[in-house]
Amino acid sequence: MTETASGWLAPEELESVRGRMPILYVDVVPVRVDDKGVVTHVGLLLRIGSDGVVSRALVSGRVLYRERVRDALMRHLEKDLGPVALPQVPVTPQPFTIAEYFPAPGVTPYHDSRQHAVSLAYVVPVAGDCRPRQDALDLIWFTPEEAASPMVQQEMIGGQGVLLKQALAHVGRLP
């Protein structure tokens, strides 16, 4: 793991930066694949937001100053899925799309009331035992059909349901 402690901002510094410039994030759709590489399941976190709302979410987080994107992916996957999730992040990961979150809803399908954020989005197979950590309450594995269902989609906030559907389309599993 790359040492990234110097990349953290104090809460007041982060708030100030968020109000003046876009912040770089990664969004990750963790998946299980069969022996042919076909996505069989999608992992979604269950979280409680600061407003008390329970929602389904992708693995997501900031890229720190002087941190490689691959290292940020690994850090957030370990933070949310545990140390033995065994993510299969390529040496040179390529995002399937770029999501641009705005503080005002309606500019794009993605919304984050705290900031303007640009997120590189990835589909990452995980082969190990996933145990949610940090602020994640649970991790549920859905089939691609279940993940694209209106019921699951309405449980996702900030446009992550749209991002999930784009990921499923990218891997040829949008029902």
Side-chain angles (χ1 to χ4, degrees), residues 6-52:
S6 65
W8 289 108
L9 293 171
E12 59 279 355
E13 292 172 314
L14 179 59
E15 197 62 36
S16 174
V17 170
R18 279 182 166 158
R20 293 188 279 159
M21 62 188 319
I23 305 292
L24 182 61
Y25 275 72
V26 291
D27 279 316
V28 183
V29 180
V31 297
R32 298 277 193 202
V33 296
D34 65 16
D35 58 349
K36 294 179 182 164
V38 175
V39 171
T40 60
H41 290 87
V42 174
L44 296 176
L45 297 167
L46 187 64
R47 294 189 189 272
I48 294 183
S50 58
D51 56 359

Side-chain angles (χ1 to χ4, degrees), residues 115-167:
Q115 65 193 339
H116 176 190
V118 177
S119 183
L120 307 173
Y122 300 86
V123 175
V124 176
V126 292
D129 185 27
C130 298
R131 299 196 187 266
R133 298 172 49 186
Q134 300 286 338
D135 63 344
L137 301 174
D138 200 3
L139 173 75
I140 306 293
W141 293 99
F142 294 93
T143 66
E145 295 77 19
E146 292 167 336
S149 73
M151 183 183 79
V152 171
Q153 289 288 304
Q154 75 184 16
E155 293 177 345
M156 300 186 80
I157 59 173
Q160 285 196 338
V162 173
L163 198 55
L164 175 58
K165 284 181 131 179
Q166 287 180 324

Side-chain angles (χ1 to χ4, degrees), residues 56-68:
R56 301 262 175 223
L58 305 175
V59 171
S60 182
R62 282 186 292 134
V63 177
L64 300 177
Y65 180 68
R66 294 187 178 187
E67 182 179 42
R68 293 175 0 153

